[in-house]
Amino acid sequence: MTGAAAQPRRDPFYDPLAPEVIAAPHVAYRRLREHQRVYWHEQLDSWVLTGYAECREVLGDTSSFGSDFRRVGEDIPDAQLSVQTLDPPAHGAIRHLLVSALHARSHTEVTGTAARLAATRMAGLRNAGRPVDLVGEFARPLALRTMCDFLGVTAPDGPWFEEMSNAIVRSMDAGLDPSRAAPGNKARAELSRMVAEWLETAGPGGFLGATRSARERNPGVPMAVLANSLRAVLHAGYESVSRLLGNALARLVAEPGLPARAAAEERLDALVDELLRLEGPVQADARVCVAERELAGRRIRRGEVLVLMLGAADRDPEVFPEPDSIDLTRRRGVHLAFGRGAHACLGKGLATMQLRAVLEQLIEAELEFAPAGPAEYERTATLRGLRTLPVFVRRPGSDATAPSGT
């Protein structure tokens, strides 16, 4: 139309923020993977990888593909320098420090706390006597409380923290919407300041106290990088875990008998692994090419960005037969939900533990969920998760619309 502003051309295979893709991204992933496993995406100005083998290769090769974009001359804001964005050898020092602090925490104590908090939240759902929102009333408060207990701090103000956290998640899609970048960087800086203050006053017992002790033994890690890394741990422990729980619970609304069946077959860990593969929130991770390589017949040049679609890789039929189905006999531990290699997720044990605790509490309480309205997904592509998941809580075999307390 004459005089109308030019609209960006939608990619015919993958338009990440389109409503239909937000609702069902795996349909677009499959279409793109069948077209080209390594695909040049004009809007993202990046290579998009949807095959398992290609994603795993890039994740494991830090000499050719980096998380630190400064290696190709880019200017990275200080608030983004953390264990997530540094490459070896600088990455090794901060990761070693954090791993030392993780090992200082009692696994049994952390597991018990996660189970206790999940049981308390589950009891609240059972006794609500009305439809409940499994995201706002269960997944998010459970993830925040568990994470803060793990860190050894009092949970911050809920609405303020939610605003900061959401700004960071939205900024992960700044390549699609540049207006999201600045609020995200501001939120990162604010949360890093809060975590730095926590670190100064942290007592013994929590992860922050263990981290402070580890840094006293290894003072070479810059405080700013440590604060940013702890902010990343806090944020991932909240956002990634709450979204994982929400996504997994949505799957259980659709297949309500799964936890009981998995327990009866002594395959609860297998169900956890399949839910991580199918419903893991981290859909994409970015790397930059620092040494020219070839992938799936495509030449990747230095300075070009690669977007690894982990959500697509984990449904690659070459590795996972009948990839959209839950198979409790599938070989475990192969998926990329927590990444792979040097930058594999530090908190995978905590996330896995919380998901298992929720499944155990569902089984123990003999509860299932039935839809009480449409589920609504956040308009984010990199980190997938629900905004709301309204359900009726019921006993197995009861009326789907009757609250469990009636």
Side-chain angles (χ1 to χ4, degrees):
M1 182 181 300
T2 303
Q7 296 296 316
R9 185 176 67 86
R10 292 177 58 173
D11 187 273
F13 294 100
Y14 181 52
D15 184 12
L17 296 180
E20 66 274 14
V21 177
I22 293 294
H26 307 298
V27 175
Y29 297 164
R30 181 171 60 248
R31 184 170 60 244
L32 179 53
R33 185 174 51 243
E34 291 171 352
H35 171 69
Q36 239 172 42
R37 296 169 70 89
V38 178
Y39 174 76
W40 181 255
H41 195 286
E42 293 288 347
Q43 184 185 5
L44 290 170
D45 193 29
S46 305
W47 294 101
V48 173
L49 280 58
T50 50
Y52 179 91
E54 292 80 8
C55 287
R56 180 162 179 164
E57 179 178 349
V58 172
L59 288 171
D61 184 0
T62 57
S63 62
S64 301
F65 305 103
S67 295
D68 191 342
F69 282 56
R70 296 176 302 174
R71 293 171 68 186
V72 294
E74 290 201 20
D75 183 27
I76 305 299
D78 289 344
Q80 293 185 19
L81 296 179
S82 73
V83 68
Q84 293 179 325
T85 60
L86 294 174
D87 284 334
H91 172 268
I94 179 62
R95 187 175 180 93
H96 177 73
L97 189 154
L98 294 174
V99 168
S100 296
L102 280 170
H103 289 166
R105 292 298 321 268
S106 165
H107 181 80
T108 301
E109 180 185 350
V110 173
T111 301
T113 298
R116 185 171 63 254
L117 292 173
T120 300
R121 285 283 164 185
M122 195 68 67
L125 297 181
R126 182 176 60 245
N127 299 323
R130 55 172 175 75
V132 298
D133 174 14
L134 285 180
V135 173
E137 297 182 62
F138 183 76
R140 287 193 173 277
L142 174 61
L144 182 59
R145 176 66 189 278
T146 303
M147 191 62 204
C148 288
D149 186 87
F150 171 75
L151 293 174
V153 299
T154 301
D157 176 69
W160 173 84
F161 182 77
E162 182 70 21
E163 180 182 352
M164 295 297 101
S165 184
N166 188 51
I168 293 173
V169 174
R170 288 172 55 81
S171 74
M172 295 175 184
D173 298 328
L176 300 164
D177 180 357
S179 69
R180 299 183 177 194
N185 287 333
K186 180 181 177 182
R188 287 183 180 90
E190 290 197 32
L191 288 188
S192 290
R193 282 194 293 270
M194 179 183 72
V195 169
E197 292 174 1
W198 282 349
L199 193 61
E200 289 181 2
T201 59
F207 176 72
L208 288 179
T211 301
R212 189 172 64 183
S213 297
R215 186 175 185 271
E216 289 170 355
R217 297 189 300 270
N218 181 18
V221 175
M223 181 55 73
V225 171
L226 178 57
N228 291 342
S229 299
L230 290 172
R231 179 258 303 154
V233 169
L234 166 65
H235 186 255
Y238 171 63
E239 279 292 355
S240 294
V241 171
S242 66
R243 288 169 185 249
L244 167 63
L245 295 178
N247 295 350
L249 289 168
R251 184 78 181 219
L252 299 183
V253 172
E255 301 182 55
L258 269 175
R261 177 164 68 87
E265 298 175 9
E266 298 184 347
R267 294 185 181 275
L268 196 58
D269 286 333
L271 176 56
V272 169
D273 208 57
E274 282 288 84
L275 289 171
L276 287 167
R277 179 182 70 84
L278 288 164
E279 306 300 341
V282 181
Q283 298 298 290
D285 200 1
R287 295 291 187 272
V288 64
C289 180
V290 296
E292 188 168 307
R293 284 287 307 279
E294 184 175 293
L295 287 171
R298 309 303 294 268
R299 179 62 58 183
I300 314 297
R301 293 176 172 80
R302 174 178 167 81
E304 292 181 335
V305 177
L306 304 93
V307 178
L308 317 182
M309 304 305 299
L310 305 183
D314 278 343
R315 297 195 186 211
D316 187 340
E318 291 188 7
V319 180
F320 306 102
E322 299 185 19
D324 298 329
S325 299
I326 288 180
D327 180 356
L328 299 181
T329 66
R330 203 185 300 276
R331 185 162 68 95
R332 286 163 37 202
V334 180
H335 62 73
L336 301 177
F338 295 118
R340 186 77 56 166
H343 290 90
C345 177
L346 280 166
K348 61 182 179 181
L350 189 60
T352 301
M353 181 195 315
Q354 288 184 75
L355 178 55
R356 196 182 201 284
V358 168
L359 296 179
E360 289 173 340
Q361 291 306 315
L362 275 175
I363 296 165
E364 183 173 331
E366 297 184 331
L367 294 181
E368 292 179 352
F369 304 120
E376 182 181 355
Y377 280 90
E378 298 277 5
R379 191 168 179 266
T380 53
T382 301
L383 207 60
R384 175 171 167 78
L386 287 151
R387 178 178 290 122
T388 58
L389 179 58
V391 300
F392 295 104
V393 183
R394 64 178 187 177
R395 300 279 185 183
S398 65
D399 181 352
T401 62
S404 62
T406 61

